[in-house]
Amino acid sequence: MSNTKNISFRAIESIGDLENVRRLESIIWSEYESTPIHQTLTAIKNGGIMLGAFTDEKLIGFQFSFPGFNGEKVYLCSHILGIHPEYRKLGIGEKLKRLQKEEALKKGYDLITWTYDPLETVNGNLNLHKLGARCNTYVENCYGEMQDELNEGMPSDRFTVEWWIKEEAVEKPNQYEIDNDSLLMKVVNDSNGFPVPLETEIRKNSESAFLFVPVPSDMQNLKKYSPELALSWRMSTRQVFTHYFQNGWTAIDLVKSQSNANLYLYVLKQMNK
């Protein structure tokens, strides 16, 4: 097991370092062609950011961002974050995101955006629970049909995350009160312990301060067990998130379910912004 004490982090600008990023990208995502150096170099010379994680000057992780503009506002678009397979689960991804925030503030950004699959709870835990980002935008089949191992056989639905880096994170209680009125999906475990969505609860109005959307704790394992069950989770959660995001609710957190070890719960709150 590698030790995080031996890992350093810094911005990347040289062609040599960018070539190492391209090689690492090919190792992590062998199914895809890596991003050309001329593209990453041009981006970082024009408001973009490339960050690296190193051990003994060997690149083991990176994060690449470029400027975005939606017609009204300039922001930093966080495009790729990758960790070498031998160095995962060491908190490198979180440290790269924290450094990304520091570098973005230096460049004058106040907003960083990115997408992730809401059914991947490791990413949800980092993005919403640890970093304090939030989401009120659900994109159906964002990247079309993807053929890599993580995404194959599922519509590539995504959350578009907003990380307002000059603001305090949304205030959250130490413990959420969850009851039948605030839980938006009914779930049971099948005979092998995998969670099965039974029905969704779409309400026109709710007096609850928070609403909760359950998702499987290990989507990749569930997908191997039953692609049909995985697809049912995609379609059920799509319905719920789409409805509530369109009606003023925002996902602000992801927490473990206290009543079902196979579930996490997204926390929704009505926001002014």
Side-chain angles (χ1 to χ4, degrees):
M1 174 64 72
S2 300
N3 193 320
T4 55
K5 292 181 180 179
N6 299 322
I7 300 174
S8 60
F9 300 83
R10 61 175 169 82
I12 288 175
E13 296 181 350
S14 73
I15 292 177
D17 279 340
L18 291 175
E19 174 62 25
N20 290 332
V21 169
R22 190 190 62 77
R23 293 193 185 109
L24 179 56
E25 190 177 350
S26 295
I27 292 172
I28 298 170
W29 295 286
S30 58
E31 302 90 347
Y32 298 108
E33 197 169 317
S34 57
T35 309
I37 291 178
H38 65 79
Q39 183 175 334
T40 53
L41 183 61
T42 301
I44 64 177
K45 286 183 176 180
N46 292 275
I49 299 171
M50 180 72 81
L51 305 172
F54 299 84
T55 177
D56 297 326
E57 285 305 303
K58 172 189 174 183
L59 182 72
I60 58 172
F62 73 97
Q63 197 291 312
F64 173 50
S65 310
F66 53 80
F69 180 62
N70 61 9
E72 297 179 355
K73 181 177 180 59
V74 175
Y75 51 88
L76 188 66
C77 181
S78 186
H79 185 49
I80 306 175
L81 190 154
I83 311 296
H84 192 288
E86 296 178 5
Y87 293 87
R88 289 173 184 164
K89 298 184 179 180
L90 295 175
I92 295 173
E94 181 178 356
K95 288 182 171 63
L96 283 169
K97 294 297 290 184
R98 301 287 184 189
L99 180 57
Q100 179 192 42
K101 176 180 177 179
E102 293 177 15
E103 295 297 317
L105 287 169
K106 291 177 185 177
K107 291 183 179 291
Y109 293 106
D110 65 352
L111 172 63
I112 304 175
T113 71
W114 64 94
T115 64
Y116 80 96
D117 185 341
L119 296 182
E120 295 294 341
T121 54
V122 171
N123 295 339
N125 181 59
L126 171 60
N127 297 335
L128 303 192
H129 187 71
K130 292 184 177 180
L131 298 179
R134 57 197 193 230
C135 173
N136 59 14
T137 303
Y138 191 95
V139 184
E140 295 184 14
N141 207 24
C142 182
Y143 301 110
E145 300 301 318
M146 303 177 71
Q147 301 304 315
D148 63 293
E149 183 179 354
L150 288 176
N151 295 285
E152 186 176 11
M154 292 272 285
S156 58
D157 292 19
R158 294 293 185 267
F159 272 9
T160 299
V161 170
E162 295 181 348
W163 192 17
W164 295 92
I165 56 176
K166 289 185 178 179
E167 298 180 8
E168 294 293 331
V170 178
E171 188 174 351
K172 307 165 188 175
N174 293 328
Q175 187 171 345
Y176 296 100
E177 294 184 10
I178 304 169
D179 54 33
N180 290 333
D181 290 333
S182 60
L183 192 62
L184 297 178
M185 294 176 63
K186 294 182 180 179
V187 181
V188 297
N189 290 344
D190 69 8
S191 58
N192 291 309
F194 287 91
V196 179
L198 294 182
E199 58 184 288
T200 60
E201 297 286 344
I202 301 296
R203 303 185 181 93
K204 291 184 178 180
N205 298 295
S206 176
E207 296 182 359
S208 300
F210 301 101
L211 298 176
F212 303 90
V213 184
V215 293
S217 59
D218 187 347
M219 191 60 185
Q220 291 302 316
N221 194 31
L222 184 147
K223 187 166 71 170
K224 292 176 183 177
Y225 166 71
S226 172
E228 295 79 11
L229 179 56
L231 184 59
S232 73
W233 271 106
R234 171 68 84 213
M235 304 314 289
S236 296
T237 53
R238 173 193 287 183
Q239 179 186 11
V240 174
F241 286 126
T242 298
H243 173 82
Y244 283 95
F245 287 172
Q246 290 175 349
N247 285 274
W249 293 82
T250 296
I252 63 162
D253 203 356
L254 180 71
V255 296
K256 290 182 179 180
S257 169
Q258 299 301 310
S259 60
N260 188 330
N262 298 311
L263 295 177
Y264 273 73
L265 300 173
Y266 275 99
V267 183
L268 307 187
K269 180 180 180 180
Q270 286 198 308
M271 304 286 293
N272 295 325
K273 188 172 185 178

